[in-house]
């Protein structure tokens, strides 16, 4: 019998591969064992839900579920043709004909204002506003039409402006809910108050930063609306296989494909916070896997959150004639 010697390189490669495989298996087991599911059969008849970014992923599954529960749904979509296709498919699937598609590009302040004006003209109430839309770029540095870094413009400033413009209608609709989709990734990022338009920062890391911004926005919003009957709930969908991760390189793409939640699983906490009567009157809380979770202390700094809010007002060019919160 002939034996072939194993080189140090082969041994090292095998060891690294074993660590990666073991790590992926552990991630898979942990993620699948912690998935939260919302089993309630509560209805949403007579409720109007406005959701941004519902053409695919978590937003699509959220719309599908709420449509089954009888909600009237306004889909705010950047790609209007795709939005219409999704609407027609869900209407056929659920039998719910009360689904409307309206044009909205959250990265454009002009588009946000035009969308808000149309909602204020045509809608009598909004029972649930879901800030679901988001974007992430791996490396391409882009600016919005307003000269704002694209990830920040879409993930924070757009929802911030839209909330302000719709706040009077929301107050008239109370009790109602505002749901802000964030991420557990807020734990690894920090908002730099000295650079709130970071055009030279690595774009994909800015996705994490904007998830921190979402939490800061939600906490300050809840604080400012504490004397109203508008609840503000912040949601972590968990690590979900959506378009945001479609360009993740090997071997991380294996973890995304085989271990991350699918879109239905990722939508469960959003659905719970939109539907559950148990959350009536609850505000300023963060939910993950259908359970309330404590936020890290650094993101609950009220002084910093207030400053961030005030600077966001400037970035969104809010006018004296605009509603204030």
């Amino acid at each position: 019998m002939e034996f072939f010697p194993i080189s140090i390189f082969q041994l090292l490669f095998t060891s690294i591969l074993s660590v990666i495989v073991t790590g992926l298996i552990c991630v898979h087991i942990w993620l699948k064992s912690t998935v939260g599911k919302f089993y309630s059969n509560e209805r949403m008849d007579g409720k109007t839900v406005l959701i941004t970014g519902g053409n695919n992923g978590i937003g699509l599954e959220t719309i599908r579920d709420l449509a089954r529960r009888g909600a009237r749904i306004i889909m705010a979509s950047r790609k209007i043709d795709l939005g219409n296709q999704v609407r027609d498919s869900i209407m056929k699937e659920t039998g719910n004909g009360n689904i409307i598609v309206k044009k909205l590009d959250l990265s454009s302040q002009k588009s946000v204002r035009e969308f808000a004006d149309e909602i204020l003209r045509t809608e009598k109430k909004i029972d649930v506003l879901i800030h679901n839309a988001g974007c992430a770029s791996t490396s391409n540095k882009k600016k919005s039409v307003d000269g704002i870094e694209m990830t920040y413009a879409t993930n924070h400033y757009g929802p911030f402006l839209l909330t302000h413009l719709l706040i009077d209608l929301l107050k008239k609709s109370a009790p109602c809910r505002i749901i802000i989709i964030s991420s557990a990734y807020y734990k690894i990022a920090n908002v730099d108050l000295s650079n709130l338009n970071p055009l030279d920062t690595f774009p994909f890391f800015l996705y994490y930063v904007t998830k921190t911004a979402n939490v800061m926005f939600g906490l300050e919003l809840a604080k400012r609306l504490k004397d109203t009957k508008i609840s503000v709930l912040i949601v972590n969908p968990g690590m979900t296989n959506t378009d945001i991760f479609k360009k993740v390189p090997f071997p991380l793409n294996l973890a995304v494909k085989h271990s991350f939640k699918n879109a239905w699983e990722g939508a469960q906490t959003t659905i719970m916070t939109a539907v559950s009567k148990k959350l009536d009157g609850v505000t300023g809380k963060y939910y993950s896997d259908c359970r309330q979770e404590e936020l890290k202390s650094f993101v609950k700094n009220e002084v910093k959150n207030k400053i961030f809010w005030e600077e966001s007002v400037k970035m969104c060019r809010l006018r004296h004639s605009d509603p204030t919160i």
Side-chain angles (χ1 to χ4, degrees):
M1 182 179 294
E2 187 175 1
F3 293 93
F4 295 92
I6 299 176
S7 69
I8 294 177
F9 174 78
Q10 289 173 315
L11 185 60
L12 181 61
F13 177 79
T14 303
S15 298
I16 292 174
L17 185 61
S18 297
V19 170
I20 291 174
V21 171
T22 302
L24 291 176
I25 292 172
C26 291
V27 168
H28 175 82
I29 294 172
W30 175 70
L31 288 174
K32 292 302 181 181
S33 65
T34 57
V35 170
K37 295 179 181 178
F38 182 60
Y39 293 105
S40 172
N41 60 1
E42 293 173 71
R43 300 285 300 174
M44 293 285 282
D45 301 287
K47 302 282 188 180
T48 296
V49 178
L50 194 167
I51 180 170
T52 64
N55 286 348
N56 51 43
I58 293 170
L60 172 58
E61 292 299 331
T62 300
I63 292 171
R64 180 178 283 122
D65 183 280
L66 298 183
R68 288 195 182 105
R69 296 173 190 270
R72 178 174 178 271
I73 299 168
I74 303 169
M75 294 175 55
S77 176
R78 183 171 60 87
K79 298 178 180 179
I80 199 75
D81 291 339
L82 179 56
N84 287 332
Q85 292 175 24
V86 170
R87 174 203 61 198
D88 293 346
S89 175
I90 294 178
M91 286 171 61
K92 182 177 180 180
E93 178 184 343
T94 65
N96 186 337
N98 288 321
I99 304 175
I100 303 166
V101 181
K102 293 184 181 292
K103 175 75 173 179
L104 172 63
D105 180 354
L106 281 167
S107 71
S108 165
Q109 294 182 10
K110 180 175 182 290
S111 177
V112 173
R113 287 185 174 277
E114 290 175 348
F115 174 81
D117 285 344
E118 184 174 359
I119 292 297
L120 294 174
R121 285 196 310 269
T122 59
E123 299 299 323
K124 295 181 180 179
K125 66 169 185 170
I126 299 173
D127 297 286
V128 184
L129 168 60
I130 305 176
H131 288 303
N132 168 78
C135 77
S137 175
T138 53
S139 58
N140 296 328
K141 296 179 180 180
K142 297 180 182 179
K143 289 192 295 185
S144 72
V145 294
D146 303 298
I148 300 173
E149 193 283 321
M150 185 62 76
T151 310
Y152 243 115
T154 304
N155 296 0
H156 171 62
Y157 293 120
F160 183 88
L161 176 59
L162 181 59
T163 303
H164 275 77
L165 298 178
L166 296 181
I167 195 62
D168 287 343
L169 177 58
L170 288 163
K171 287 179 178 178
K172 291 177 184 177
S173 307
C176 62
R177 298 178 185 181
I178 300 173
I179 298 169
I180 301 171
I181 309 303
S182 180
S183 167
Y185 291 122
Y186 86 85
K187 299 173 184 178
I188 63 172
N190 189 46
V191 170
D192 182 0
L193 294 179
S194 66
N195 186 17
L196 293 177
N197 189 19
L199 295 171
D200 295 325
T201 304
F202 187 61
F204 196 74
F205 183 70
L206 285 176
Y207 173 76
Y208 306 143
V209 175
T210 59
K211 296 297 100 180
T212 307
N214 293 153
V215 177
M216 295 169 66
F217 166 47
L219 293 178
E220 181 67 15
L221 179 63
K223 180 181 176 183
R224 290 170 180 255
L225 295 176
K226 65 180 181 179
D227 294 327
T228 70
K229 292 184 179 180
I230 302 175
S231 297
V232 180
L233 304 172
I234 307 165
V235 167
N236 165 35
M239 290 188 280
T240 306
N241 185 7
T242 63
D243 284 351
I244 284 178
F245 294 101
K246 65 183 178 182
K247 294 182 179 180
V248 170
F250 177 86
L252 294 178
N253 63 335
L254 296 178
V256 172
K257 183 177 180 180
H258 298 291
S259 296
F260 280 24
K261 297 177 180 179
N262 59 42
W264 180 84
E265 292 170 333
Q268 292 300 294
T269 308
T270 303
I271 295 166
M272 182 199 75
T273 52
V275 173
S276 178
K277 291 182 174 62
K278 293 180 180 179
L279 297 182
D280 287 348
V282 177
T283 191
K285 301 300 181 182
Y286 173 84
Y287 292 86
S288 180
D289 285 311
C290 296
R291 297 182 294 272
Q292 184 182 327
E293 184 178 298
E294 274 303 310
L295 289 161
K296 298 297 182 182
S297 58
F298 81 90
V299 82
K300 296 189 287 186
N301 186 317
E302 293 187 4
V303 174
K304 184 173 182 178
N305 291 354
K306 183 175 183 292
I307 294 172
F308 182 48
W309 180 284
E310 292 168 347
E311 292 302 315
S312 296
V313 167
K314 298 174 186 177
M315 290 294 294
C316 290
R317 302 181 180 92
L318 280 165
R319 307 162 185 168
H320 292 299
S321 58
D322 290 331
T324 58
I325 301 176

